Amino acid sequence: MEYNYAKRISHLKASEIREILKVTENPEIISFAGGLPAPELFPLDEIKEVSRIVLEEEGTEALQYTTTEGYLPLRKWIAARMNNRLGTKFEPDNILLTHGSQQALDLSGKVFLDEGDVVLCESPTYLAAISAFKAYGCEFKEVPTDEDGMIPAELDRILDSTPNVKLIYVIPDFQNPTGRTWTLPRREYLVKAAMKHQVMIIEDNPYGELRFEDEPLPSLQAFDHEGCVLSLGTFSKIFCPGYRIGWVAGDQKVVEKYVLVKQGTDLQCNTLAQREIAKYLELYNIDEHIEKIRKVYKRRRNLTIKLMEDHFPEGVTFTRPKGGLFAWIELPTDINARDVLIKSLEQNVAFVPGGSFFPNGGRENTFRINFSNMPDDKIEEGLQSLAGVLREFV
Amino acid sequence: MEYNYAKRISHLKASEIREILKVTENPEIISFAGGLPAPELFPLDEIKEVSRIVLEEEGTEALQYTTTEGYLPLRKWIAARMNNRLGTKFEPDNILLTHGSQQALDLSGKVFLDEGDVVLCESPTYLAAISAFKAYGCEFKEVPTDEDGMIPAELDRILDSTPNVKLIYVIPDFQNPTGRTWTLPRREYLVKAAMKHQVMIIEDNPYGELRFEDEPLPSLQAFDHEGCVLSLGTFSKIFCPGYRIGWVAGDQKVVEKYVLVKQGTDLQCNTLAQREIAKYLELYNIDEHIEKIRKVYKRRRNLTIKLMEDHFPEGVTFTRPKGGLFAWIELPTDINARDVLIKSLEQNVAFVPGGSFFPNGGRENTFRINFSNMPDDKIEEGLQSLAGVLREFV
């Protein structure tokens, strides 16, 4: 049989990260590749307890079908938390639970993107957002981005000169892959520009709660008077990714469309997962838990930066993230990070080459490292090895 | 803000079933509407045990990210079961775990359908498959269908005269909504026609294990020598729907495409759910569990048919399914089942009007009832009430 696939999948290739993660299942590998949280910080005892209680008290409901919108107490909690932290005025009906925030990206594409529509994004941007949106036939325009966020003049120039801009996709806090955080004025400028041009913003915020220093900055929601910002969140980085529970929050009219689209896509999220997370939030203090994560990741971030400062050869630069999971490394322009990776894997050290984070290609002299997943001794050993490999190239 | 949605969602309205299910959250309602399994049959004690064991023995892995393909022991089990029951020769790599079989429908659309492509389906067909595929801009042609399956001459006529047929979507066992089962010759004919025309078949089989009488009939896979059949399965009806674990099985080349598409869609299924189901299958005998379900549903099916035979007025006809969850009722052509539903809800009895099961509309004189979810006394009370309402109309 000659398979006749849809045009949208003709460009598809395996995500480099997922393929590298397969290699990294080898336990000898020191992996800075994935975006994996530290598993030793999962609140395992508490989860055993809530799992027991949910099955004991709500067993049959927790195993049955439920509504597409998701479990009301969990949507209530999310609305309240966003209202407290971000100054929004959300009700539960402003929230749809999604199968991880990756599904919220997919649904965003499905709700908004026609073939030929344009998505503006940071340069570089999260590579799985690229795959999610590309499935709907869009084009990407990368807005030149510095350490403070998208550069306003460039944003204006692109918005003024590009028809069919449907979405602006950004990760203002501890961006994936760079670890950078947008300044307050840049946030405000972006939302004003979006309102002026009547373009939707997808604010992806999986890492915002993982801040190691300075005060939190407001979500883009804080500047939005027109319902043009949709915020994505997830329990993957502050609780456990295996549950696959994230959310999209925004204007109720838009969220209703997402609900309808999710119905046809997968009916609903896992019922048990929704109830177990809700029960955890009812019985335990997630702020204490997040504080534990912050402390460990901060130490690992410090260690990572220190090791890169001490051992990476001159000519190699890197970001110094104030939170999140990732740092971003730039090599001299004549060095291809894929070549470095091949050598590095021989030393059992993995990372993700940066090229895939540019939707229109390029910048092969970059790579991303994760500092959340490996214990301190492995970070030390791995970055020492990596520094040695880099010295062969630079 | 004037929201500018994608064209694909312009036709979208709330699924009638989901909207009715909201009404039926009122515990006084006797609902024949949803496709809900009987919650009292969920193996709750066993699930408590496997949930405890998985968290105890595999806690951190079960809460972490995993591969897109899904948990290998579960894919092994599914391949082995299909091989035993259906004579296939699947390996785990022929299987992708999906977030319920609804997601397998969505992924099928995403992998195969371009705008303007045609999907052939039974008439009527599963309404959430209609929404899943329509999101990719396809057209539907309903193939005239009798109690044995699609009518061969009609299938040939439509295949010969329709360009752009990309998929043929069928539910050969205890179809949703009619409860009908395809005969062996009709199965063979369909696959031969698909091979001749080089068209993919999506065989949706959520109910095949719930057979109350006669011998099982082979899956369409049995006649496929070219990898043109993709089979969808699910744990929702033989275990618990709240887990949202289903699968797609077929030629490895095609399944690899599904894996890539799922990566961008939602990364992976819930890790805990995959491992808990696998642990259940390892420790318990699911055949004994399915036998329990079969026995109860068979009794309810018998009761349902008997009550309809005894109390529904003349001029109302219905199917007598040999398995599954649904029966299909036809009223005289001048009666609209939506009007009947309004009256029936006044008596606290719900069902799903049949119109939405026809992708191109029509046949408003039909409706679907579910016989798996309500206990015997409620079935009796509800169908007596419904018969009374019907007598007002016929």
Side-chain angles (χ1 to χ4, degrees):
Chain A
M1 176 107 182
E2 194 66 47
Y3 296 110
N4 183 12
Y5 299 112
K7 286 196 289 285
R8 77 176 61 79
I9 74 165
S10 58
H11 72 278
L12 259 194
K13 51 184 189 355
S15 144
E16 201 156 20
I17 295 189
R18 305 294 294 189
E19 294 308 301
I20 293 170
L21 278 176
K22 280 192 194 164
V23 175
T24 60
E25 281 174 11
N26 172 351
E28 286 184 11
I29 292 268
I30 298 176
S31 177
F32 302 113
L36 276 66
E40 67 274 23
L41 295 174
F42 295 156
L44 189 52
D45 288 334
E46 292 84 349
I47 288 172
K48 284 178 190 166
E49 185 64 8
V50 298
S51 155
R52 192 188 62 73
I53 295 172
V54 165
L55 286 171
E56 195 62 43
E57 295 179 359
E58 320 163 10
T60 49
E61 295 91 336
L63 297 165
Q64 186 58 287
Y65 286 112
T66 183
T67 56
T68 303
E69 291 82 347
Y71 188 48
L72 186 61
L74 188 52
R75 289 188 293 131
K76 269 190 188 156
W77 184 91
I78 293 166
R81 185 154 187 107
M82 293 186 82
N83 295 348
N84 284 339
R85 295 187 68 239
L86 312 171
T88 51
K89 286 177 178 162
F90 286 145
E91 300 285 335
D93 284 347
N94 294 103
I95 316 286
L96 166 69
L97 298 185
T98 57
H99 189 60
S101 58
Q102 185 69 30
Q103 184 184 46
L105 292 171
D106 175 57
L107 296 178
S108 298
K110 215 168 179 180
V111 166
F112 285 109
L113 296 176
D114 286 315
E115 206 174 325
D117 281 345
V118 173
V119 176
L120 303 192
C121 65
E122 294 158 279
S123 179
T125 189
Y126 174 47
L127 65 80
I130 301 173
S131 358
F133 294 147
K134 263 203 180 156
Y136 299 97
C138 69
E139 307 289 323
F140 286 89
K141 287 234 169 169
E142 297 166 46
V143 180
T145 307
D146 63 20
E147 59 194 6
D148 295 333
M150 285 179 178
I151 298 167
E154 299 282 354
L155 177 64
D156 285 340
R157 181 182 58 77
I158 291 173
L159 278 170
D160 286 338
S161 62
T162 316
N164 300 336
V165 176
K166 266 284 188 73
L167 296 178
I168 304 175
Y169 172 71
V170 291
I171 310 165
D173 289 298
F174 322 123
Q175 199 237 15
N176 184 352
T178 64
R180 287 173 182 148
T181 294
W182 288 45
T183 60
L184 193 74
R186 291 284 178 91
R187 290 172 195 238
E188 188 169 5
Y189 197 92
L190 173 68
V191 180
K192 282 190 175 160
M195 290 192 289
K196 180 177 156 203
H197 290 268
Q198 295 281 294
V199 173
M200 294 300 293
I201 298 175
I202 307 292
E203 176 188 46
D204 195 1
N205 189 11
Y207 319 113
E209 300 247 21
L210 303 178
R211 175 176 278 280
F212 313 142
E213 56 202 56
D214 300 348
E215 287 304 300
L217 289 168
S219 149
L220 300 181
Q221 295 282 354
F223 309 104
D224 177 18
H225 313 299
E226 299 206 13
C228 73
V229 178
L230 286 159
S231 296
L232 316 188
T234 177
F235 287 102
S236 292
K237 305 304 189 285
I238 57 171
F239 192 60
C240 303
Y243 277 110
R244 313 304 302 124
I245 298 289
W247 65 87
V248 52
D251 185 278
Q252 199 183 325
K253 279 198 301 295
V254 184
V255 170
E256 277 167 14
K257 293 286 180 188
Y258 275 68
V259 173
L260 290 181
V261 168
K262 184 171 164 71
Q263 276 183 13
T265 301
D266 68 353
L267 300 182
Q268 56 155 102
C269 292
N270 179 306
T271 322
L272 265 170
Q274 301 178 49
R275 285 174 178 257
E276 288 184 15
I277 295 176
K279 186 59 77 181
Y280 174 88
L281 296 167
E282 181 195 326
L283 297 183
Y284 299 98
N285 183 340
I286 196 170
D287 288 311
E288 284 174 12
H289 175 62
I290 294 171
E291 193 47 45
K292 268 188 220 164
I293 300 176
R294 272 197 207 109
K295 234 165 123 173
V296 172
Y297 291 6
K298 180 179 180 175
R299 195 182 67 230
R300 291 181 182 172
R301 190 267 327 247
N302 291 346
L303 179 62
T304 298
I305 301 289
K306 175 91 174 61
L307 286 162
M308 293 198 295
E309 281 173 346
D310 290 353
H311 300 287
F312 278 14
E314 230 173 292
V316 176
T317 61
F318 43 86
T319 57
R320 287 162 175 79
K322 294 184 172 178
L325 277 64
F326 303 110
W328 179 249
I329 290 89
E330 294 204 28
L331 305 170
T333 47
D334 60 326
I335 300 175
N336 189 323
R338 287 167 214 262
D339 299 332
V340 178
L341 178 62
I342 291 165
K343 286 284 175 199
S344 171
L345 284 173
E346 291 171 9
Q347 310 282 321
N348 283 340
V349 175
F351 57 79
V352 183
S356 317
F357 296 92
F358 297 89
N360 302 315
R363 307 285 304 280
E364 299 292 347
N365 62 317
T366 57
F367 65 93
R368 186 193 78 178
I369 59 170
N370 165 279
F371 51 75
S372 62
N373 184 243
M374 286 283 131
D376 298 17
D377 58 330
K378 293 279 180 186
I379 292 178
E380 178 123 20
E381 186 188 337
L383 288 181
Q384 299 268 19
S385 292
L386 180 54
V389 173
L390 285 174
R391 281 192 295 269
E392 291 174 33
F393 282 85
V394 180
Chain B
M1 176 108 180
E2 194 67 46
Y3 296 111
N4 183 11
Y5 299 112
K7 284 196 289 287
R8 75 177 62 79
I9 73 165
S10 58
H11 72 280
L12 260 194
K13 52 183 186 0
S15 145
E16 201 155 19
I17 294 190
R18 305 294 294 187
E19 293 309 301
I20 293 170
L21 277 176
K22 280 191 193 164
V23 175
T24 60
E25 280 174 11
N26 173 351
E28 286 184 10
I29 292 269
I30 298 177
S31 176
F32 302 113
L36 276 66
E40 68 273 22
L41 296 174
F42 295 155
L44 190 52
D45 288 333
E46 293 83 349
I47 288 172
K48 284 178 190 166
E49 184 64 9
V50 298
S51 156
R52 191 188 64 72
I53 294 172
V54 166
L55 285 170
E56 194 63 43
E57 296 178 356
E58 320 163 7
T60 49
E61 295 91 335
L63 296 166
Q64 185 59 286
Y65 287 112
T66 184
T67 56
T68 303
E69 292 82 347
Y71 188 50
L72 186 59
L74 188 53
R75 290 188 293 130
K76 269 190 188 157
W77 184 90
I78 293 166
R81 185 152 187 108
M82 294 186 80
N83 296 348
N84 284 339
R85 294 187 68 240
L86 312 171
T88 52
K89 286 177 177 162
F90 286 146
E91 300 285 335
D93 284 347
N94 294 104
I95 315 287
L96 165 68
L97 298 185
T98 58
H99 189 61
S101 58
Q102 186 68 29
Q103 185 185 43
L105 293 172
D106 175 59
L107 295 177
S108 298
K110 215 168 180 180
V111 166
F112 285 109
L113 296 176
D114 287 313
E115 204 174 326
D117 282 345
V118 174
V119 175
L120 304 192
C121 65
E122 294 158 279
S123 178
T125 189
Y126 173 45
L127 66 79
I130 301 172
S131 356
F133 294 148
K134 264 204 181 154
Y136 299 98
C138 68
E139 308 288 323
F140 285 89
K141 287 234 169 170
E142 298 166 46
V143 179
T145 307
D146 63 20
E147 59 193 7
D148 295 333
M150 284 178 178
I151 298 167
E154 299 282 355
L155 177 65
D156 285 340
R157 181 182 58 77
I158 291 173
L159 278 171
D160 286 338
S161 62
T162 316
N164 300 336
V165 176
K166 265 286 187 71
L167 297 179
I168 305 175
Y169 171 71
V170 291
I171 311 165
D173 288 295
F174 321 123
Q175 199 237 14
N176 184 350
T178 63
R180 288 172 182 150
T181 293
W182 288 44
T183 60
L184 193 74
R186 290 283 178 92
R187 289 172 195 240
E188 188 170 6
Y189 197 92
L190 174 69
V191 180
K192 282 189 175 160
M195 290 193 290
K196 181 178 156 202
H197 291 269
Q198 295 282 294
V199 173
M200 294 299 293
I201 298 174
I202 307 292
E203 176 189 48
D204 196 1
N205 189 11
Y207 318 112
E209 301 248 19
L210 303 179
R211 175 176 278 280
F212 312 143
E213 56 201 56
D214 300 349
E215 287 303 300
L217 289 168
S219 149
L220 300 181
Q221 296 280 355
F223 309 103
D224 177 19
H225 313 300
E226 299 205 11
C228 74
V229 178
L230 286 158
S231 296
L232 316 187
T234 176
F235 287 102
S236 291
K237 305 303 190 284
I238 56 171
F239 192 59
C240 303
Y243 277 111
R244 315 304 302 124
I245 299 289
W247 66 86
V248 52
D251 185 279
Q252 200 182 322
K253 281 198 300 293
V254 184
V255 170
E256 277 167 15
K257 293 285 181 190
Y258 274 68
V259 173
L260 290 181
V261 168
K262 184 172 163 71
Q263 275 183 13
T265 301
D266 68 353
L267 301 182
Q268 56 155 102
C269 292
N270 179 307
T271 322
L272 265 170
Q274 301 179 50
R275 285 175 177 259
E276 289 184 15
I277 295 176
K279 186 58 76 180
Y280 174 88
L281 297 167
E282 182 195 325
L283 299 183
Y284 298 98
N285 184 340
I286 196 169
D287 287 311
E288 284 174 13
H289 175 62
I290 293 172
E291 193 47 43
K292 269 188 221 165
I293 301 176
R294 270 198 208 108
K295 235 166 121 173
V296 172
Y297 290 6
K298 180 179 181 176
R299 195 183 67 230
R300 291 182 181 172
R301 189 267 326 248
N302 291 346
L303 178 63
T304 298
I305 301 289
K306 176 94 174 59
L307 286 161
M308 294 197 294
E309 282 173 345
D310 290 353
H311 301 287
F312 278 14
E314 231 175 287
V316 176
T317 62
F318 43 85
T319 57
R320 287 162 175 81
K322 294 184 171 176
L325 276 64
F326 303 110
W328 180 248
I329 290 89
E330 293 203 31
L331 305 170
T333 48
D334 59 326
I335 299 175
N336 189 323
R338 287 167 213 262
D339 299 333
V340 179
L341 178 63
I342 291 165
K343 285 284 174 202
S344 170
L345 284 173
E346 289 171 10
Q347 312 282 323
N348 282 340
V349 175
F351 57 79
V352 184
S356 317
F357 296 93
F358 298 89
N360 302 315
R363 306 286 303 280
E364 298 293 346
N365 63 317
T366 57
F367 65 92
R368 185 192 79 177
I369 60 171
N370 165 280
F371 52 74
S372 62
N373 185 244
M374 286 283 131
D376 298 16
D377 58 331
K378 294 278 180 188
I379 293 178
E380 180 123 18
E381 187 188 337
L383 288 181
Q384 299 269 18
S385 293
L386 180 54
V389 173
L390 286 174
R391 281 191 296 268
E392 291 175 34
F393 282 85
V394 180

